[in-house]
Amino acid sequence: MNNNDELFIKKFDLIVKNNMLTAGIDFVSDKKSIGIAVSGGADSVSLLVSLSHLSKEFNVPLRVISINHNLREEKESFSDVKYVEFLCNEIIKTGIDLKFFAVNFPRGKILEIAKERNKGVEEAARFLRYKAFDEFFINENVSCVCLAHNLNDNIETVLMRFLQGSSFEGLSGIKFVREKFVRPLLNISRKEIEEYLNSIKQNYVTDSTNNSLDYSRNRIRNIVIPELEKINSSAIQNISKFISVCREENEALEFFSKNSTCFCSLCGSIQ
């Protein structure tokens, strides 16, 4: 590992640490366990490794949940969970207080829920996944559940909402903190995540469905965004700035709607 790699790793870990503190997770004085959702993919593996560094520095216990949606071939979906378990065991060997929990949805369960809720497969999977996260949060009494959404995920989400005719609120993107959920990678790009993993020589798994164009998000990720970057090489950064502006505008609108009594500069009256 060269000096540049070491500096990049420290910078990445510092961003994650600061994002956790900004989210109100007081791991310095409060040693309550931190929950992490890990799929085995690059994003969640980088989050797990970075938080394990944080755990070692501040002696904070980690609790990891990995979910098998059972939508892919049985061998592939189970191997992802097994890889996360293997990775967790390797971290435990370093002396970190970590416990691993696997949740396996019965095959066909997500399709059944999709039919019941009259929704798509993606929404049904999300519904069951967050239900499992809620139970995990309560049962393990963790301070939060960290999710590995990154900057690219946020941009994909906003582009999807834009195409759906969303409001300012929708165009504000994924929330950094929502109730018990914290997203410490939300201001880190997928490219930076992959660079981090390469720097520490950490393997991860790749979901075969990520390349399927049957899903709207994948079409945006694999077709739309690369084309936008051909038009403007700074597309990711510029869309990120747009999201920040929308968030600020939405927060201002929410403030004024909650404080409806204000001074009208045009007519000089209180309204």
Side-chain angles (χ1 to χ4, degrees), residues 119-171:
K119 300 284 186 179
V121 172
E122 287 179 280
E123 195 281 336
R126 184 183 186 280
F127 172 78
L128 287 178
R129 182 167 62 250
Y130 276 82
K131 186 177 179 181
F133 291 159
D134 288 340
E135 293 173 356
F136 169 71
F137 176 78
I138 294 170
N139 294 339
E140 296 308 312
N141 192 31
V142 292
S143 59
C144 62
V145 179
C146 293
L147 306 178
H149 296 94
N150 60 44
L151 178 61
N152 293 66
D153 293 321
N154 201 16
I155 287 168
E156 292 160 14
T157 296
V158 167
L159 288 175
M160 288 177 69
R161 290 175 180 174
F162 176 78
L163 294 173
Q164 294 164 354
S166 185
S167 63
F168 259 136
E169 183 177 5
L171 298 180

Side-chain angles (χ1 to χ4, degrees), residues 110-251:
I110 289 177
L111 296 177
E112 177 187 324
I113 294 297
K115 187 175 181 180
E116 285 179 7
R117 292 170 57 82
N118 195 28
K119 300 284 186 179
V121 172
E122 287 179 280
E123 195 281 336
R126 184 183 186 280
F127 172 78
L128 287 178
R129 182 167 62 250
Y130 276 82
K131 186 177 179 181
F133 291 159
D134 288 340
E135 293 173 356
F136 169 71
F137 176 78
I138 294 170
N139 294 339
E140 296 308 312
N141 192 31
V142 292
S143 59
C144 62
V145 179
C146 293
L147 306 178
H149 296 94
N150 60 44
L151 178 61
N152 293 66
D153 293 321
N154 201 16
I155 287 168
E156 292 160 14
T157 296
V158 167
L159 288 175
M160 288 177 69
R161 290 175 180 174
F162 176 78
L163 294 173
Q164 294 164 354
S166 185
S167 63
F168 259 136
E169 183 177 5
L171 298 180
S172 298
I174 302 170
K175 291 186 176 181
F176 178 57
V177 180
R178 181 176 64 82
E179 298 174 348
K180 63 183 76 67
F181 301 107
V182 177
R183 298 176 173 88
L185 304 182
L186 202 57
N187 57 349
I188 300 177
S189 71
R190 185 167 290 122
K191 181 180 178 181
E192 290 170 318
I193 286 169
E194 291 174 356
E195 186 177 345
Y196 177 76
L197 293 172
N198 287 334
S199 296
I200 59 176
K201 295 179 171 52
Q202 177 61 60
N203 294 325
Y204 55 90
V205 299
T206 302
D207 186 338
S208 62
T209 62
N210 284 347
N211 296 320
S212 171
L213 298 182
D214 292 336
Y215 301 102
S216 299
R217 181 177 290 275
N218 287 354
R219 295 182 73 86
I220 288 174
R221 176 182 300 163
N222 298 319
I223 298 176
V224 176
I225 290 179
E227 287 299 319
L228 290 175
E229 289 181 311
K230 288 179 184 177
I231 297 171
N232 187 327
S233 60
S234 300
I236 295 292
Q237 291 78 9
N238 291 338
I239 296 172
S240 179
K241 290 177 185 177
F242 169 75
I243 293 171
S244 296
V245 170
C246 288
R247 184 181 299 113
E248 291 170 4
E249 294 283 354
N250 185 62
E251 288 172 355

Side-chain angles (χ1 to χ4, degrees), residues 72-90:
R72 294 170 289 155
E73 291 292 329
E74 188 172 341
K75 183 178 179 181
E76 181 183 357
S77 57
F78 272 101
S79 67
D80 288 1
V81 175
K82 283 296 181 184
Y83 176 71
V84 176
E85 184 177 17
F86 165 78
L87 183 55
C88 287
N89 286 333
E90 291 299 301

